[in-house]
Amino acid sequence: MQKLDLPLGYYELPPGKLVNVVTCLEMMAKPPRAARPLPSGCGLRRVDPKDLDSYRAIFREVGQDLMWFSRLIMPDEKLAAILGHPQVESYALHKGDTAIGVVELDFKDMPNCELAFFGLAKEAIGIGLGRALMDAAIEMAWSKPINRLWVHTCHFDNPNALGFYQRSGFVPYALMVEIHDDPRLSGKLPRDASPQVALIDPARKKRA
């Protein structure tokens, strides 16, 4: 990770690039509150690392408008190795037989645990599932001998995400800037994905 040391001011990005402001948050102890149970009919199922199509389908459903694309373009062998790693716990939240959310806990850097992915499909947002899903994630994380649970969010995320993480017990500790290619220009995401992020065609002529 590089440290940014630039004079204050505005900087124009190269064509086809996006800049993403990332907030890192941490939780140093399990919150004392009682966990909210998942609603009846909902449950977590461990992701099958051999069924990458199903995993990518819910990953896309949850993350397409949040600019999630890393797992969509990752080689199958690498993705299967991550999902099948003994210190990675990846789950899909199901309502009946329909996957409506994802949770992934990464314990590879013990005693730290990263909440690597967390999210709900659009139709599952705003009905109280997020709080129950987060409580389940916190319970699973702190059932292991960790001393720190951390997560990151960014300005591509749901605008309520930062406040939600803070209400869950996470405290911000660092800001980072990520620059990457716009995945919509290469077809890795549809051109209408993440409508909150302007799509600028590199071929468009710059105004004088």
Side-chain angles (χ1 to χ4, degrees):
M1 182 175 59
Q2 303 179 60
K3 287 198 173 182
L4 190 65
D5 185 16
L6 294 173
L8 300 179
Y10 289 92
Y11 295 89
E12 185 174 354
L13 291 175
K17 301 293 183 181
L18 292 176
V19 64
N20 188 9
V21 180
V22 178
T23 302
C24 298
L25 306 98
E26 61 186 0
M27 178 188 292
M28 306 304 291
K30 182 182 176 183
R33 65 174 183 272
R36 180 182 300 183
L38 290 169
S40 176
C42 292
L44 289 170
R45 299 182 191 175
R46 194 75 175 259
V47 168
D48 181 356
K50 296 179 182 178
D51 187 3
L52 298 184
D53 288 344
S54 294
Y55 172 77
R56 286 192 172 115
I58 184 56
F59 185 91
R60 186 190 305 274
E61 178 71 19
V62 170
Q64 180 167 283
D65 284 341
L66 306 177
M67 204 60 76
W68 288 14
F69 63 93
S70 60
R71 298 280 173 89
L72 302 179
I73 64 173
M74 188 177 289
D76 288 354
E77 297 79 8
K78 183 176 180 181
L79 179 55
I82 292 172
L83 297 177
H85 194 286
Q87 291 177 290
V88 173
E89 296 185 8
S90 190
Y91 299 90
L93 174 66
H94 281 75
K95 184 176 182 181
D97 290 328
T98 303
I100 57 171
V102 293
V103 173
E104 185 170 301
L105 296 166
D106 186 335
F107 295 96
K108 294 195 298 291
D109 185 32
M110 290 289 280
N112 301 295
C113 173
E114 179 186 4
L115 180 55
F117 287 99
F118 179 92
L120 294 169
K122 287 182 181 179
E123 67 271 15
I125 295 175
I127 57 175
L129 268 176
R131 170 58 53 216
L133 184 60
M134 176 58 75
D135 284 353
I138 290 172
E139 287 288 323
M140 290 187 295
W142 287 99
S143 69
K144 304 289 177 66
I146 66 170
N147 59 25
R148 177 175 173 264
L149 175 62
W150 74 279
V151 66
H152 71 267
T153 185
C154 67
H155 79 273
F156 293 159
D157 208 343
N158 186 296
N160 298 319
L162 180 59
F164 172 79
Y165 286 130
Q166 290 178 285
R167 291 191 299 275
S168 299
F170 291 93
V171 177
Y173 70 90
L175 291 173
M176 296 188 291
V177 173
E178 178 188 18
I179 297 176
H180 59 80
D181 294 328
D182 190 332
R184 298 167 298 182
L185 294 173
S186 61
K188 295 169 184 174
L189 286 179
R191 290 179 73 90
D192 60 353
S194 300
Q196 78 279 17
V197 183
L199 177 65
I200 299 176
D201 192 332
R204 185 178 177 85
K205 292 184 179 180
K206 183 180 176 182
R207 294 181 181 271

